[in-house]
Amino acid sequence: MMNFDYVRPASVAEAIGAATEPGSVYLASGTNLLDLMKGGVSRPSRLVDVTRLPGLDRVERLADGSLRIGAMVRNADLAHDPDFAKAYPAVAEALLSGASGQLRNAATVGGNLLQRTRCAYFYDVASACNRRAPGAGCDARHGENRLHAVLGWSEGCIATHPSDFCVPLVALDAVVEIEGKRGRRELSLEALHRLPGDTPERETALEPGDLIVALRLPAEARSFAAHGRYIKLRERTSYAFAVVSAAASLRIEQGRIGEARLALGGVAAKPWRARAAERLLAGASLDAAVYREAARAALADAKPSGDNAFKIELAQRIVVRALTLAAAGTPALMPALPGSPFSSVSGTRA
Amino acid sequence: MNFSISLTINGVRRDVALDDPRVTLLDLLRERLDLTGTKKGCDRGQCGACTILVDGRRINSCLALALSHDGAEITTIEGLARGDQLHPVQAAFIAHDGFQCGFCTPGQIMSAVGLIQEGRAGGDPERVREGMSGNLCRCGAYAGITEAVLEAQDKMNVANQRRSA
């Protein structure tokens, strides 16, 4: 690991000042950053520790019915907050389907939004990677790429975004609150992550010094509480990143779908909102044929970036499964294996 | 650059001067404080051998910068037993053959203590396995580990009920 300077600012303004210097990065819990630094993938010259900034560790309901989640709230604390899990079940399930108990205890909401791709070529500094070293080329494009993107990829980069948490969040229109050199601004989560295009090194819409201070779920996000699921297929049942995943949230009115929210994970460089599928589902009946049609629409633009054509079919099946399970209703108790389509004890306690 | 931090480790306050900001809690414990019970497996947050409790919560000490945890209360495997009396989780790992080579065991035990304190696994073996998935065991002692966690949890719950009665 390259040596670095360490600073622990006392205020958000001080943090922004310190992080605006070239080579500076913010340190939250460090579960992703320290790993990247140990591998020489990230080589910051200064860490700006934001874990103790005042006021960033609170979850609060605002007057307009929205929920504001401070960026330093820990993933485990949010997922296990009973009010949160009841109101936003797909988000809680996504959080609990990710990483391990130890990592969820440490990892923060803000850090999760900014975690980097798990593409093995990005991690291996001996490989060519446009995301890590612009212009170097992409060894994944003709390498081991069965887990890579099938939507929104470019010749320059076929990496996927690894977050589970972001998938239901983007479906529920989450908003990110950012403090920066020019003050406070807001951005939809959907606009935070960028597709690679010709500049895969520009992963987000953040500018130097920008600090995510909170995440907000609009009031309407609660209206899907009775029918929200996150379903994630992985190569082992727990503690693995998604091969493909889907967050489905439904508002059911008079036995039909009033409104649907759908997003996919593991398919693109950003959490993938499936708006065409949502439009098909709105007003439709609760019917397997409808779910299959929505799944086709969600993947209509997909194309393999390598040995991953199977993900296009698999993602459609996961969409159908997520919609079917969401329609059946949010389980009274979090499933024993959150997000798993193979949970043998579905929402019951032995 | 020199930094000094203060930690409470297994109930004892330790003031530590650090000449290097890169030191993780894991390396601090093992290399500078001679507490080698906490193991370094992958050093990348994948195996769980380095699990410790920080302010009562289980985390991977290999991915925790020591400087960032100034003031924290830390419990390691060395802090569980009371003299010769083993912690219920330690005793249960022995009773149920929850290990073979023993390398992952301190991490398994600290993770189990954390999991039981979190109080969400109940008596469901599947929830215990899911809760312990951040700890790998190359010997494959998982069946014994699950049994040990379930039994220790029962004993600790009974003990807690007696205490509060």
Side-chain angles (χ1 to χ4, degrees), chain A residues 1-6 34 37-38 44 47, chain B residues 3 18-28 32 43 61-62 64-67:
Chain A
M1 195 191 301
M2 202 177 86
N3 207 348
F4 54 82
D5 184 17
Y6 170 90
L34 289 183
M37 289 168 67
K38 287 181 181 192
L47 295 193
Chain B
F3 305 90
L18 287 176
D19 52 1
D20 190 324
R22 291 173 288 187
V23 177
T24 60
L25 281 179
L26 173 61
D27 287 340
L28 180 72
R32 302 181 183 225
D43 203 30
S61 62
C62 72
L65 210 57
L67 278 173

PDB file of all heavy atoms in Angstrom, chain A residues 1-6 34 37-38 44 47, chain B residues 3 18-28 32 43 61-62 64-67:
ATOM      1  N   MET A   1       0.850  -1.203   0.000  1.00  0.00           N
ATOM      2  CA  MET A   1       0.000   0.000   0.000  1.00  0.00           C
ATOM      3  C   MET A   1       0.880   1.246   0.000  1.00  0.00           C
ATOM      4  O   MET A   1       1.824   1.334   0.765  1.00  0.00           O
ATOM      5  CB  MET A   1      -0.884  -0.003   1.257  1.00  0.00           C
ATOM      6  CG  MET A   1      -2.031   0.969   1.208  1.00  0.00           C
ATOM      7  SD  MET A   1      -2.872   1.199   2.798  1.00  0.00           S
ATOM      8  CE  MET A   1      -3.431  -0.452   3.190  1.00  0.00           C
ATOM      9  N   MET A   2       0.561   2.168  -0.900  1.00  0.00           N
ATOM     10  CA  MET A   2       1.306   3.423  -0.939  1.00  0.00           C
ATOM     11  C   MET A   2       1.026   4.223   0.341  1.00  0.00           C
ATOM     12  O   MET A   2      -0.084   4.180   0.862  1.00  0.00           O
ATOM     13  CB  MET A   2       0.836   4.222  -2.160  1.00  0.00           C
ATOM     14  CG  MET A   2       1.810   5.260  -2.647  1.00  0.00           C
ATOM     15  SD  MET A   2       1.161   6.070  -4.137  1.00  0.00           S
ATOM     16  CE  MET A   2       0.149   7.360  -3.428  1.00  0.00           C
ATOM     17  N   ASN A   3       2.033   4.927   0.811  1.00  0.00           N
ATOM     18  CA  ASN A   3       1.819   5.723   2.027  1.00  0.00           C
ATOM     19  C   ASN A   3       0.901   6.910   1.723  1.00  0.00           C
ATOM     20  O   ASN A   3       0.745   7.301   0.568  1.00  0.00           O
ATOM     21  CB  ASN A   3       3.154   6.222   2.583  1.00  0.00           C
ATOM     22  CG  ASN A   3       3.076   6.442   4.086  1.00  0.00           C
ATOM     23  OD1 ASN A   3       1.984   6.437   4.657  1.00  0.00           O
ATOM     24  ND2 ASN A   3       4.212   6.634   4.715  1.00  0.00           N
ATOM     25  N   PHE A   4       0.276   7.431   2.739  1.00  0.00           N
ATOM     26  CA  PHE A   4      -0.676   8.531   2.555  1.00  0.00           C
ATOM     27  C   PHE A   4      -0.708   9.396   3.801  1.00  0.00           C
ATOM     28  O   PHE A   4      -0.230   8.998   4.865  1.00  0.00           O
ATOM     29  CB  PHE A   4      -2.076   7.976   2.253  1.00  0.00           C
ATOM     30  CG  PHE A   4      -2.578   6.988   3.280  1.00  0.00           C
ATOM     31  CD1 PHE A   4      -3.159   7.409   4.457  1.00  0.00           C
ATOM     32  CD2 PHE A   4      -2.453   5.618   3.054  1.00  0.00           C
ATOM     33  CE1 PHE A   4      -3.602   6.496   5.402  1.00  0.00           C
ATOM     34  CE2 PHE A   4      -2.903   4.692   3.990  1.00  0.00           C
ATOM     35  CZ  PHE A   4      -3.475   5.131   5.173  1.00  0.00           C
ATOM     36  N   ASP A   5      -1.270  10.544   3.626  1.00  0.00           N
ATOM     37  CA  ASP A   5      -1.502  11.455   4.735  1.00  0.00           C
ATOM     38  C   ASP A   5      -2.926  11.191   5.245  1.00  0.00           C
ATOM     39  O   ASP A   5      -3.809  10.834   4.464  1.00  0.00           O
ATOM     40  CB  ASP A   5      -1.372  12.890   4.197  1.00  0.00           C
ATOM     41  CG  ASP A   5      -1.490  13.921   5.293  1.00  0.00           C
ATOM     42  OD1 ASP A   5      -1.345  13.559   6.469  1.00  0.00           O
ATOM     43  OD2 ASP A   5      -1.717  15.099   4.944  1.00  0.00           O
ATOM     44  N   TYR A   6      -3.118  11.324   6.546  1.00  0.00           N
ATOM     45  CA  TYR A   6      -4.438  11.046   7.125  1.00  0.00           C
ATOM     46  C   TYR A   6      -4.932  12.289   7.852  1.00  0.00           C
ATOM     47  O   TYR A   6      -4.221  12.841   8.697  1.00  0.00           O
ATOM     48  CB  TYR A   6      -4.334   9.877   8.105  1.00  0.00           C
ATOM     49  CG  TYR A   6      -5.576   9.636   8.941  1.00  0.00           C
ATOM     50  CD1 TYR A   6      -6.583   8.787   8.492  1.00  0.00           C
ATOM     51  CD2 TYR A   6      -5.735  10.252  10.182  1.00  0.00           C
ATOM     52  CE1 TYR A   6      -7.717   8.553   9.255  1.00  0.00           C
ATOM     53  CE2 TYR A   6      -6.864  10.028  10.961  1.00  0.00           C
ATOM     54  CZ  TYR A   6      -7.848   9.180  10.495  1.00  0.00           C
ATOM     55  OH  TYR A   6      -8.962   8.955  11.244  1.00  0.00           O
ATOM     56  N   LEU A  34      -9.820   0.286   1.457  1.00  0.00           N
ATOM     57  CA  LEU A  34      -8.577  -0.318   1.957  1.00  0.00           C
ATOM     58  C   LEU A  34      -8.200  -1.549   1.142  1.00  0.00           C
ATOM     59  O   LEU A  34      -7.023  -1.799   0.881  1.00  0.00           O
ATOM     60  CB  LEU A  34      -8.696  -0.670   3.442  1.00  0.00           C
ATOM     61  CG  LEU A  34      -8.717   0.512   4.410  1.00  0.00           C
ATOM     62  CD1 LEU A  34      -8.755   0.014   5.850  1.00  0.00           C
ATOM     63  CD2 LEU A  34      -7.520   1.418   4.221  1.00  0.00           C
ATOM     64  N   MET A  37      -6.674  -0.255  -1.951  1.00  0.00           N
ATOM     65  CA  MET A  37      -5.347   0.316  -1.680  1.00  0.00           C
ATOM     66  C   MET A  37      -4.321  -0.800  -1.469  1.00  0.00           C
ATOM     67  O   MET A  37      -3.174  -0.697  -1.899  1.00  0.00           O
ATOM     68  CB  MET A  37      -5.409   1.245  -0.473  1.00  0.00           C
ATOM     69  CG  MET A  37      -6.157   2.549  -0.779  1.00  0.00           C
ATOM     70  SD  MET A  37      -6.549   3.506   0.696  1.00  0.00           S
ATOM     71  CE  MET A  37      -4.911   4.002   1.235  1.00  0.00           C
ATOM     72  N   LYS A  38      -4.738  -1.877  -0.793  1.00  0.00           N
ATOM     73  CA  LYS A  38      -3.813  -2.994  -0.576  1.00  0.00           C
ATOM     74  C   LYS A  38      -3.388  -3.618  -1.908  1.00  0.00           C
ATOM     75  O   LYS A  38      -2.270  -4.107  -2.037  1.00  0.00           O
ATOM     76  CB  LYS A  38      -4.457  -4.052   0.320  1.00  0.00           C
ATOM     77  CG  LYS A  38      -4.551  -3.613   1.776  1.00  0.00           C
ATOM     78  CD  LYS A  38      -5.185  -4.695   2.646  1.00  0.00           C
ATOM     79  CE  LYS A  38      -5.276  -4.194   4.085  1.00  0.00           C
ATOM     80  NZ  LYS A  38      -5.603  -5.280   5.038  1.00  0.00           N
ATOM     81  N   PRO A  44      -4.335   6.747  -3.266  1.00  0.00           N
ATOM     82  CA  PRO A  44      -4.533   8.127  -2.816  1.00  0.00           C
ATOM     83  C   PRO A  44      -3.330   8.631  -2.007  1.00  0.00           C
ATOM     84  O   PRO A  44      -2.648   7.843  -1.359  1.00  0.00           O
ATOM     85  CB  PRO A  44      -5.779   8.035  -1.929  1.00  0.00           C
ATOM     86  CG  PRO A  44      -5.802   6.632  -1.443  1.00  0.00           C
ATOM     87  CD  PRO A  44      -5.220   5.805  -2.553  1.00  0.00           C
ATOM     88  N   LEU A  47      -6.038  10.541   2.866  1.00  0.00           N
ATOM     89  CA  LEU A  47      -7.360  10.044   3.243  1.00  0.00           C
ATOM     90  C   LEU A  47      -8.022  11.083   4.148  1.00  0.00           C
ATOM     91  O   LEU A  47      -7.429  11.521   5.136  1.00  0.00           O
ATOM     92  CB  LEU A  47      -7.272   8.712   3.998  1.00  0.00           C
ATOM     93  CG  LEU A  47      -6.734   7.486   3.263  1.00  0.00           C
ATOM     94  CD1 LEU A  47      -7.019   6.230   4.079  1.00  0.00           C
ATOM     95  CD2 LEU A  47      -7.332   7.363   1.878  1.00  0.00           C
TER      96      LEU A  47
ATOM     97  N   PHE B   3       1.338   9.704  14.844  1.00  0.00           N
ATOM     98  CA  PHE B   3      -0.034   9.783  15.324  1.00  0.00           C
ATOM     99  C   PHE B   3      -0.090   9.018  16.630  1.00  0.00           C
ATOM    100  O   PHE B   3       0.576   7.999  16.781  1.00  0.00           O
ATOM    101  CB  PHE B   3      -1.003   9.113  14.340  1.00  0.00           C
ATOM    102  CG  PHE B   3      -0.921   9.641  12.941  1.00  0.00           C
ATOM    103  CD1 PHE B   3      -0.058   9.074  12.023  1.00  0.00           C
ATOM    104  CD2 PHE B   3      -1.727  10.701  12.547  1.00  0.00           C
ATOM    105  CE1 PHE B   3       0.007   9.553  10.722  1.00  0.00           C
ATOM    106  CE2 PHE B   3      -1.664  11.177  11.237  1.00  0.00           C
ATOM    107  CZ  PHE B   3      -0.798  10.604  10.331  1.00  0.00           C
ATOM    108  N   LEU B  18       1.715   5.716  16.584  1.00  0.00           N
ATOM    109  CA  LEU B  18       1.832   5.092  15.267  1.00  0.00           C
ATOM    110  C   LEU B  18       2.722   5.952  14.391  1.00  0.00           C
ATOM    111  O   LEU B  18       2.481   7.144  14.236  1.00  0.00           O
ATOM    112  CB  LEU B  18       0.457   4.969  14.612  1.00  0.00           C
ATOM    113  CG  LEU B  18      -0.501   3.905  15.157  1.00  0.00           C
ATOM    114  CD1 LEU B  18      -1.836   4.009  14.439  1.00  0.00           C
ATOM    115  CD2 LEU B  18       0.089   2.517  14.992  1.00  0.00           C
ATOM    116  N   ASP B  19       3.753   5.350  13.807  1.00  0.00           N
ATOM    117  CA  ASP B  19       4.624   6.107  12.918  1.00  0.00           C
ATOM    118  C   ASP B  19       4.187   5.958  11.460  1.00  0.00           C
ATOM    119  O   ASP B  19       4.795   6.506  10.557  1.00  0.00           O
ATOM    120  CB  ASP B  19       6.075   5.629  13.066  1.00  0.00           C
ATOM    121  CG  ASP B  19       6.201   4.129  12.909  1.00  0.00           C
ATOM    122  OD1 ASP B  19       5.159   3.482  12.673  1.00  0.00           O
ATOM    123  OD2 ASP B  19       7.324   3.604  13.039  1.00  0.00           O
ATOM    124  N   ASP B  20       3.131   5.170  11.249  1.00  0.00           N
ATOM    125  CA  ASP B  20       2.689   4.884   9.882  1.00  0.00           C
ATOM    126  C   ASP B  20       1.161   4.841   9.861  1.00  0.00           C
ATOM    127  O   ASP B  20       0.565   4.071  10.616  1.00  0.00           O
ATOM    128  CB  ASP B  20       3.279   3.529   9.453  1.00  0.00           C
ATOM    129  CG  ASP B  20       3.081   3.252   7.964  1.00  0.00           C
ATOM    130  OD1 ASP B  20       2.015   3.633   7.428  1.00  0.00           O
ATOM    131  OD2 ASP B  20       3.985   2.656   7.353  1.00  0.00           O
ATOM    132  N   PRO B  21       0.535   5.647   9.005  1.00  0.00           N
ATOM    133  CA  PRO B  21      -0.946   5.681   9.001  1.00  0.00           C
ATOM    134  C   PRO B  21      -1.568   4.434   8.398  1.00  0.00           C
ATOM    135  O   PRO B  21      -2.776   4.245   8.497  1.00  0.00           O
ATOM    136  CB  PRO B  21      -1.254   6.913   8.142  1.00  0.00           C
ATOM    137  CG  PRO B  21      -0.082   7.030   7.226  1.00  0.00           C
ATOM    138  CD  PRO B  21       1.107   6.561   8.012  1.00  0.00           C
ATOM    139  N   ARG B  22      -0.774   3.569   7.768  1.00  0.00           N
ATOM    140  CA  ARG B  22      -1.337   2.427   7.048  1.00  0.00           C
ATOM    141  C   ARG B  22      -1.710   1.250   7.946  1.00  0.00           C
ATOM    142  O   ARG B  22      -2.303   0.283   7.479  1.00  0.00           O
ATOM    143  CB  ARG B  22      -0.325   1.933   5.996  1.00  0.00           C
ATOM    144  CG  ARG B  22      -0.152   2.923   4.870  1.00  0.00           C
ATOM    145  CD  ARG B  22       0.957   2.510   3.937  1.00  0.00           C
ATOM    146  NE  ARG B  22       2.264   2.689   4.556  1.00  0.00           N
ATOM    147  CZ  ARG B  22       3.416   2.532   3.911  1.00  0.00           C
ATOM    148  NH1 ARG B  22       3.416   2.162   2.642  1.00  0.00           N
ATOM    149  NH2 ARG B  22       4.554   2.737   4.526  1.00  0.00           N
ATOM    150  N   VAL B  23      -1.361   1.339   9.215  1.00  0.00           N
ATOM    151  CA  VAL B  23      -1.571   0.191  10.110  1.00  0.00           C
ATOM    152  C   VAL B  23      -3.068  -0.100  10.302  1.00  0.00           C
ATOM    153  O   VAL B  23      -3.839   0.791  10.651  1.00  0.00           O
ATOM    154  CB  VAL B  23      -0.907   0.462  11.472  1.00  0.00           C
ATOM    155  CG1 VAL B  23      -1.175  -0.690  12.440  1.00  0.00           C
ATOM    156  CG2 VAL B  23       0.588   0.684  11.298  1.00  0.00           C
ATOM    157  N   THR B  24      -3.449  -1.340  10.066  1.00  0.00           N
ATOM    158  CA  THR B  24      -4.838  -1.744  10.324  1.00  0.00           C
ATOM    159  C   THR B  24      -4.958  -2.191  11.779  1.00  0.00           C
ATOM    160  O   THR B  24      -3.959  -2.445  12.465  1.00  0.00           O
ATOM    161  CB  THR B  24      -5.228  -2.933   9.431  1.00  0.00           C
ATOM    162  OG1 THR B  24      -4.343  -4.024   9.718  1.00  0.00           O
ATOM    163  CG2 THR B  24      -5.161  -2.585   7.957  1.00  0.00           C
ATOM    164  N   LEU B  25      -6.195  -2.317  12.250  1.00  0.00           N
ATOM    165  CA  LEU B  25      -6.387  -2.837  13.604  1.00  0.00           C
ATOM    166  C   LEU B  25      -5.762  -4.224  13.726  1.00  0.00           C
ATOM    167  O   LEU B  25      -5.177  -4.569  14.756  1.00  0.00           O
ATOM    168  CB  LEU B  25      -7.880  -2.902  13.951  1.00  0.00           C
ATOM    169  CG  LEU B  25      -8.553  -1.584  14.359  1.00  0.00           C
ATOM    170  CD1 LEU B  25     -10.028  -1.834  14.641  1.00  0.00           C
ATOM    171  CD2 LEU B  25      -7.874  -0.942  15.557  1.00  0.00           C
ATOM    172  N   LEU B  26      -5.869  -5.014  12.670  1.00  0.00           N
ATOM    173  CA  LEU B  26      -5.300  -6.369  12.694  1.00  0.00           C
ATOM    174  C   LEU B  26      -3.792  -6.317  12.918  1.00  0.00           C
ATOM    175  O   LEU B  26      -3.252  -7.003  13.799  1.00  0.00           O
ATOM    176  CB  LEU B  26      -5.621  -7.094  11.375  1.00  0.00           C
ATOM    177  CG  LEU B  26      -4.967  -8.452  11.176  1.00  0.00           C
ATOM    178  CD1 LEU B  26      -5.394  -9.441  12.248  1.00  0.00           C
ATOM    179  CD2 LEU B  26      -5.292  -9.002   9.787  1.00  0.00           C
ATOM    180  N   ASP B  27      -3.103  -5.506  12.133  1.00  0.00           N
ATOM    181  CA  ASP B  27      -1.641  -5.430  12.271  1.00  0.00           C
ATOM    182  C   ASP B  27      -1.238  -4.797  13.595  1.00  0.00           C
ATOM    183  O   ASP B  27      -0.218  -5.162  14.185  1.00  0.00           O
ATOM    184  CB  ASP B  27      -1.039  -4.662  11.091  1.00  0.00           C
ATOM    185  CG  ASP B  27      -1.085  -5.485   9.808  1.00  0.00           C
ATOM    186  OD1 ASP B  27      -1.209  -6.721   9.902  1.00  0.00           O
ATOM    187  OD2 ASP B  27      -1.014  -4.893   8.714  1.00  0.00           O
ATOM    188  N   LEU B  28      -2.050  -3.852  14.053  1.00  0.00           N
ATOM    189  CA  LEU B  28      -1.755  -3.238  15.350  1.00  0.00           C
ATOM    190  C   LEU B  28      -1.797  -4.305  16.450  1.00  0.00           C
ATOM    191  O   LEU B  28      -0.885  -4.403  17.275  1.00  0.00           O
ATOM    192  CB  LEU B  28      -2.775  -2.138  15.640  1.00  0.00           C
ATOM    193  CG  LEU B  28      -2.590  -1.415  16.976  1.00  0.00           C
ATOM    194  CD1 LEU B  28      -1.375  -0.506  16.921  1.00  0.00           C
ATOM    195  CD2 LEU B  28      -3.826  -0.605  17.324  1.00  0.00           C
ATOM    196  N   ARG B  32       2.143  -5.130  16.929  1.00  0.00           N
ATOM    197  CA  ARG B  32       2.617  -4.096  17.846  1.00  0.00           C
ATOM    198  C   ARG B  32       2.171  -4.331  19.275  1.00  0.00           C
ATOM    199  O   ARG B  32       2.759  -3.806  20.202  1.00  0.00           O
ATOM    200  CB  ARG B  32       2.161  -2.722  17.371  1.00  0.00           C
ATOM    201  CG  ARG B  32       2.693  -2.486  15.960  1.00  0.00           C
ATOM    202  CD  ARG B  32       2.342  -1.147  15.386  1.00  0.00           C
ATOM    203  NE  ARG B  32       2.851  -1.107  14.017  1.00  0.00           N
ATOM    204  CZ  ARG B  32       3.500  -0.077  13.492  1.00  0.00           C
ATOM    205  NH1 ARG B  32       3.707   1.008  14.205  1.00  0.00           N
ATOM    206  NH2 ARG B  32       3.932  -0.119  12.251  1.00  0.00           N
ATOM    207  N   ASP B  43      -6.378 -11.095   4.533  1.00  0.00           N
ATOM    208  CA  ASP B  43      -6.056  -9.670   4.704  1.00  0.00           C
ATOM    209  C   ASP B  43      -6.871  -8.774   3.759  1.00  0.00           C
ATOM    210  O   ASP B  43      -6.511  -7.628   3.554  1.00  0.00           O
ATOM    211  CB  ASP B  43      -4.549  -9.421   4.503  1.00  0.00           C
ATOM    212  CG  ASP B  43      -4.074  -8.147   5.198  1.00  0.00           C
ATOM    213  OD1 ASP B  43      -4.672  -7.782   6.237  1.00  0.00           O
ATOM    214  OD2 ASP B  43      -3.133  -7.506   4.704  1.00  0.00           O
ATOM    215  N   SER B  61     -11.038  -6.899  11.102  1.00  0.00           N
ATOM    216  CA  SER B  61     -10.012  -5.945  11.539  1.00  0.00           C
ATOM    217  C   SER B  61      -8.992  -5.657  10.441  1.00  0.00           C
ATOM    218  O   SER B  61      -8.283  -4.659  10.506  1.00  0.00           O
ATOM    219  CB  SER B  61      -9.306  -6.458  12.798  1.00  0.00           C
ATOM    220  OG  SER B  61      -8.632  -7.680  12.563  1.00  0.00           O
ATOM    221  N   CYS B  62      -8.934  -6.505   9.408  1.00  0.00           N
ATOM    222  CA  CYS B  62      -7.978  -6.268   8.309  1.00  0.00           C
ATOM    223  C   CYS B  62      -8.405  -5.088   7.445  1.00  0.00           C
ATOM    224  O   CYS B  62      -7.588  -4.522   6.734  1.00  0.00           O
ATOM    225  CB  CYS B  62      -7.814  -7.514   7.452  1.00  0.00           C
ATOM    226  SG  CYS B  62      -9.240  -7.894   6.394  1.00  0.00           S
ATOM    227  N   ALA B  64      -9.944  -2.353   8.702  1.00  0.00           N
ATOM    228  CA  ALA B  64     -10.205  -1.232   9.610  1.00  0.00           C
ATOM    229  C   ALA B  64      -8.893  -0.517   9.881  1.00  0.00           C
ATOM    230  O   ALA B  64      -7.957  -1.109  10.421  1.00  0.00           O
ATOM    231  CB  ALA B  64     -10.815  -1.743  10.906  1.00  0.00           C
ATOM    232  N   LEU B  65      -8.830   0.738   9.488  1.00  0.00           N
ATOM    233  CA  LEU B  65      -7.637   1.525   9.730  1.00  0.00           C
ATOM    234  C   LEU B  65      -7.571   1.869  11.221  1.00  0.00           C
ATOM    235  O   LEU B  65      -8.538   2.390  11.777  1.00  0.00           O
ATOM    236  CB  LEU B  65      -7.729   2.786   8.875  1.00  0.00           C
ATOM    237  CG  LEU B  65      -6.443   3.415   8.384  1.00  0.00           C
ATOM    238  CD1 LEU B  65      -5.615   2.427   7.573  1.00  0.00           C
ATOM    239  CD2 LEU B  65      -6.777   4.642   7.553  1.00  0.00           C
ATOM    240  N   ALA B  66      -6.446   1.576  11.856  1.00  0.00           N
ATOM    241  CA  ALA B  66      -6.331   1.819  13.307  1.00  0.00           C
ATOM    242  C   ALA B  66      -6.609   3.284  13.634  1.00  0.00           C
ATOM    243  O   ALA B  66      -7.337   3.584  14.591  1.00  0.00           O
ATOM    244  CB  ALA B  66      -4.937   1.410  13.788  1.00  0.00           C
ATOM    245  N   LEU B  67      -6.054   4.204  12.837  1.00  0.00           N
ATOM    246  CA  LEU B  67      -6.228   5.637  13.124  1.00  0.00           C
ATOM    247  C   LEU B  67      -7.693   6.030  13.179  1.00  0.00           C
ATOM    248  O   LEU B  67      -8.085   6.877  13.985  1.00  0.00           O
ATOM    249  CB  LEU B  67      -5.561   6.461  12.019  1.00  0.00           C
ATOM    250  CG  LEU B  67      -4.060   6.677  12.139  1.00  0.00           C
ATOM    251  CD1 LEU B  67      -3.557   7.349  10.869  1.00  0.00           C
ATOM    252  CD2 LEU B  67      -3.770   7.537  13.355  1.00  0.00           C
TER     253      LEU B  67
END
